[in-house]
């Protein structure tokens, strides 16, 4: 199986406008920290030590748990700012919740409503929800629902391009949450070194980190072929 490739930031930026704020924030946190998708889905205030300038997030469950090792994730000022904007009142609740996202969406839509709410409309909508068996949003995102939200946003971004007759080469390629982690690993390796990338991504073996940073080598070869 081929290693997962990093996603280009320009493709991420093209996707963000078509996402709800909670999912867009999850993407930003992943990009800035190198978290795994499951780690950003399950992040809660109670799992973060905020006593220092750099916060320390210790997921209660992680890929490393079965090895008897605890995953430790450093959260810098930029990612902290994103998290603060979505902090739940209860520290045991998740930062990024579909239920909170839906609540926020309805609140913003109500605030932007130009016509008054009529009692008959509200009663009809309530009856419709009961009749159709409206499903309550979950308290947290899963890897599956997070990935689905991104795929749907990419499709919407490309639909806009199709309607505008934008050439296919300028469409947004499909990408997945785990590619954000790979992008962060490559950026750290490029700016610092392999050991730093290993520490940030929580890898025990250098060989794993080298897979994540493979695209950096490809870029170096391209630059050398054009300039050297």
């Amino acid at each position: 199986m081929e290693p997962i490739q990093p996603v280009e930031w320009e493709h991420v930026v093209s996707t963000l406008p078509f996402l709800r704020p909670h999912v867009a924030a999850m993407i930003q946190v992943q990009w800035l920290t190198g978290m795994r998708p499951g780690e950003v889905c399950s992040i809660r205030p109670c799992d973060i030590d905020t006593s220092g300038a750099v916060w320390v997030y210790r997921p209660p469950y992680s890929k490393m748990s079965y090895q008897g090792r605890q995953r430790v994730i450093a959260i810098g000022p930029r990612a902290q700012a994103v998290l603060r904007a979505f902090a739940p009142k209860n520290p045991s609740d998740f930062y990024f919740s579909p239920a909170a996202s839906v609540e926020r969406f309805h609140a913003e839509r109500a605030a932007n409503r130009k016509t008054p709410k009529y009692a008959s409309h509200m009663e009809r909508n309530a009856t419709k929800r009961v009749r159709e068996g409206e499903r309550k949003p979950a308290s947290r995102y899963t890897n599956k629902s997070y990935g689905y939200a991104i795929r749907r946003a990419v499709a919407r971004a490309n639909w806009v391009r199709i309607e505008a007759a934008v050439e296919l080469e300028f469409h947004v390629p499909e990408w997945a949450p785990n590619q954000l982690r790979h992008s962060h690993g490559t950026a750290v390796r490029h700016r610092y070194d392999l050991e730093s990338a290993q520490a940030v991504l929580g890898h025990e073996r250098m060989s794993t980190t080298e897979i994540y940073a493979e695209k950096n080598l490809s870029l170096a070869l391209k630059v050398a072929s054009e300039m050297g």
Side-chain angles (χ1 to χ4, degrees):
M1 184 175 65
E2 294 185 4
I4 299 173
Q5 297 299 315
V7 58
E8 299 290 347
W9 178 242
E10 64 179 294
H11 301 322
V12 176
V13 170
S14 297
T15 308
L16 291 178
F18 301 92
L19 290 160
R20 286 191 175 178
H22 278 68
V23 180
M26 292 168 71
I27 289 170
Q28 293 176 63
V29 170
Q30 256 200 289
W31 182 270
L32 293 168
T33 63
M35 290 185 195
R36 294 182 175 91
E39 292 166 346
V40 74
C41 286
S42 59
I43 189 170
R44 303 177 300 173
C46 63
D47 297 321
I48 304 176
D49 178 358
T50 61
S51 60
V54 175
W55 294 356
V56 178
Y57 169 36
R58 294 181 173 85
Y61 305 102
S62 73
K63 187 178 180 180
M64 300 159 62
S65 298
Y66 77 96
Q67 300 173 334
R69 299 166 57 216
Q70 185 174 37
R71 170 85 161 117
V72 179
I73 302 166
I75 302 176
R78 293 166 64 192
Q80 290 174 22
V82 177
L83 290 173
R84 284 194 185 98
F86 293 87
K89 294 179 181 179
N90 186 337
S92 296
D93 288 343
F94 300 101
Y95 274 99
F96 306 115
S97 160
S101 178
V102 170
E103 183 179 346
R104 180 170 179 166
F105 171 75
H106 287 311
E108 291 176 351
R109 187 170 65 174
N112 295 327
R113 187 184 179 94
K114 299 185 183 300
T115 57
K117 288 185 177 180
Y118 295 104
S120 59
H121 292 167
M122 296 174 67
E123 182 179 350
R124 184 177 61 199
N125 290 338
T127 302
K128 182 179 179 182
R129 285 195 294 270
V130 172
R131 185 173 63 248
E132 295 179 353
E134 183 180 46
R135 185 174 61 181
K136 291 184 178 180
S139 62
R140 54 157 287 186
Y141 285 91
T142 63
N143 288 8
K144 184 177 180 180
S145 61
Y146 180 29
Y148 175 74
I150 291 175
R151 289 195 303 274
R152 187 172 59 177
V154 170
R156 288 176 175 174
N158 286 331
W159 180 249
V160 170
R161 285 161 172 75
I162 290 172
E163 290 189 320
V166 174
E167 294 182 13
L168 188 61
E169 63 179 299
F170 297 110
H171 285 206
V172 182
E174 289 189 4
W175 59 274
N178 207 34
Q179 290 180 258
L180 297 165
R181 173 173 163 80
H182 291 238
S183 297
H184 186 72
T186 298
V188 172
R189 167 77 182 274
H190 179 71
R191 183 168 179 174
Y192 299 98
D193 52 32
L194 181 60
E195 186 176 4
S196 298
Q198 179 189 22
V200 168
L201 297 175
H203 292 158
E204 187 174 7
R205 295 178 301 166
M206 287 287 189
S207 59
T208 306
T209 307
E210 286 170 350
I211 291 174
Y212 277 30
E214 184 177 357
K215 191 168 184 180
N216 196 48
L217 173 60
S218 299
L219 178 60
L221 293 173
K222 180 176 183 297
V223 171
S225 68
E226 295 175 353
M227 299 182 63

